[in-house]
């Protein structure tokens, strides 16, 4: 099986060294030291918070083709979480929870296109996007659609924490159909992953 090529970005050498020490001896990944990161599968960005400098770095990395983005942060507030998801980050992990096993799990999820957020952060994301919908879009009578009923059903279950197999069972679909629906949504609407699709649907009043 092909090793996952990972490039690590951090604003201070201690944070970078800490993450590298967690990953460098894992056979599943190959650390890319060269710049720019076109050959990498995943960019792992280590930061204290989702500050403007970090968001700028993520936007710059987003320009490198199919590169998946994972953020390891000391703290993430609701505004920062929404900002990184809108950029297209595939995974967010708290620094305190960044064990080698958890890092690999989030990296694999990013490569698979599934995305990964701690459950409480997902709840914050949904609450924040719902507030944006209620406070900004609904009063103006705005409700952008662009999703079929079947797609909305799938996203509702994803937002409730169902995985692919559980969504398939609940809707009497095959897992392949569920994956196809999610792929169609993200491709058609230029979204990066499942979390971004859920955020899009919530922001537009579809969930």
């Amino acid at each position: 099986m092909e090793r996952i090529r990972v490039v690590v970005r951090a604003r201070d050498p201690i944070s970078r060294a800490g993450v590298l020490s967690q990953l460098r001896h894992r056979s599943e990944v190959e650390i890319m030291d060269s710049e720019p990161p076109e050959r990498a599968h995943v960019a792992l960005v280590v930061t204290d918070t989702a500050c403007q400098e970090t968001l700028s770095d993520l936007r710059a990395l987003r320009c490198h083709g199919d590169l998946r983005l994972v953020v390891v942060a000391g703290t993430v507030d609701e505004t920062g979480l929404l900002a990184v998801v809108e950029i297209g980050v595939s995974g967010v992990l708290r620094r305190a929870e960044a064990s080698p096993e958890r890092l690999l799990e989030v990296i694999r999820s990013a490569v698979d296109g599934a995305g990964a957020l701690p459950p409480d952060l997902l709840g914050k994301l949904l609450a924040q996007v719902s507030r944006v919908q209620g406070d900004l879009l609904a009063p103006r009578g705005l409700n952008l659609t662009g999703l079929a009923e079947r797609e909305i059903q799938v996203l509702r279950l994803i937002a409730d924490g169902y995985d692919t197999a559980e969504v398939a069972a609940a809707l009497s679909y095959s897992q392949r159909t569920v994956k196809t629906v999610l792929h169609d949504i993200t491709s058609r609407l230029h979204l990066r992953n499942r979390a971004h699709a859920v955020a899009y649907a919530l922001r537009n009043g579809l969930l």
Side-chain angles (χ1 to χ4, degrees):
M1 188 170 104
E2 184 181 12
R3 298 172 73 192
I4 301 172
R5 296 190 295 272
V6 178
V7 60
V8 178
R9 294 283 184 86
R11 290 195 166 273
D12 66 272
I14 293 177
S15 294
R16 176 180 168 82
V19 170
L20 289 176
S21 71
Q22 299 276 54
L23 293 177
R24 193 171 293 279
H25 301 295
R26 302 300 297 239
S27 62
E28 303 93 328
V29 301
E30 176 186 354
I31 302 299
M32 307 290 293
D33 294 320
S34 60
E35 300 287 344
E38 277 84 0
R39 292 185 57 243
H41 297 121
V42 174
L44 194 62
V45 178
V46 189
T47 184
D48 289 328
T49 63
C51 60
Q52 288 302 316
E53 291 82 1
T54 297
L55 297 179
S56 295
D57 291 343
L58 290 169
R59 291 188 187 99
L61 287 166
R62 181 76 277 158
C63 298
H64 292 283
D66 294 329
L67 185 67
R68 305 288 185 173
L69 305 179
V70 171
V71 172
V72 178
T75 59
V76 183
D77 61 19
E78 295 178 17
T79 301
L81 178 62
L82 184 61
V84 299
V85 168
E86 288 184 329
I87 289 172
V89 167
S90 297
V92 177
L93 182 62
R94 290 189 182 91
R95 186 179 295 168
E97 300 168 350
S99 65
E101 292 73 21
R102 184 62 182 144
L103 274 171
L104 285 173
E105 184 180 341
V106 174
I107 288 169
R108 289 193 195 99
S109 293
V111 171
D112 292 340
L117 291 175
D120 66 301
L121 291 187
L122 179 57
K124 289 181 180 180
L125 171 64
L126 300 182
Q128 173 72 0
V129 176
S130 294
R131 281 196 293 273
V132 170
Q133 166 64 24
D135 296 343
L136 298 180
L137 297 182
R140 294 168 173 77
L142 300 176
N143 184 18
L144 304 177
T145 57
L147 293 175
E149 180 60 30
R150 180 172 77 164
E151 294 171 334
I152 292 172
Q153 289 175 340
V154 169
L155 286 180
R156 281 177 180 152
L157 294 175
I158 294 295
D160 286 338
Y162 285 49
D163 63 23
T164 301
E166 291 168 336
V167 172
L171 298 177
S172 298
Y173 295 159
S174 68
Q175 291 190 47
R176 181 175 182 179
T177 296
V178 173
K179 291 177 181 178
T180 298
V181 168
L182 289 168
H183 179 267
D184 289 346
I185 294 170
T186 55
S187 297
R188 187 173 71 251
L189 300 178
H190 306 290
L191 305 172
R192 296 299 181 183
N193 49 57
R194 296 183 184 195
H196 198 186
V198 170
Y200 172 90
L202 282 167
R203 183 180 290 280
N204 292 291
L206 300 174
L207 298 184

